[in-house]
Amino acid sequence: NLYDFFQILRIKGLNFSISEQKDALNSLCNIDITNKFFFKLALKLNLVKDPLDQKIFDKSEMYLLLDHRAEIT
């Protein structure tokens, strides 16, 4: 889920405020969330501030592509 993804980003060193996290979540209301490109872009535009952040996000974005439904069972 997105909460876990935000935690992963923070653990890996990406710093963003709760306000920026909220902005990222709100931006998802304005896009087709089934479109993976726009989904990742909306999060990235709100959370990434510099090239180091970009690397952290890009290395962590695989988490978003995984199917976590198996973890529930």
Side-chain angles (χ1 to χ4, degrees), residues 10-26:
R10 285 190 171 102
I11 289 167
K12 294 195 179 254
L14 201 146
N15 293 313
F16 51 90
S17 68
I18 297 296
S19 177
E20 290 168 318
Q21 181 175 321
K22 183 179 175 186
D23 289 344
L25 292 171
N26 286 336

Side-chain angles (χ1 to χ4, degrees), residues 4-58:
D4 292 338
F5 181 63
F6 293 144
Q7 290 301 102
I8 288 168
L9 291 174
R10 285 190 171 102
I11 289 167
K12 294 195 179 254
L14 201 146
N15 293 313
F16 51 90
S17 68
I18 297 296
S19 177
E20 290 168 318
Q21 181 175 321
K22 183 179 175 186
D23 289 344
L25 292 171
N26 286 336
S27 71
L28 297 177
C29 296
N30 299 310
I31 62 161
D32 175 6
I33 62 170
T34 63
N35 183 313
K36 291 179 184 178
F37 174 79
F38 288 126
F39 188 86
K40 292 185 296 184
L41 184 61
L43 295 177
K44 188 182 289 191
L45 288 172
N46 284 281
L47 302 176
V48 171
K49 299 174 201 71
D50 58 46
L52 179 58
D53 287 353
Q54 174 85 35
K55 287 180 184 178
I56 293 169
F57 187 95
D58 290 344

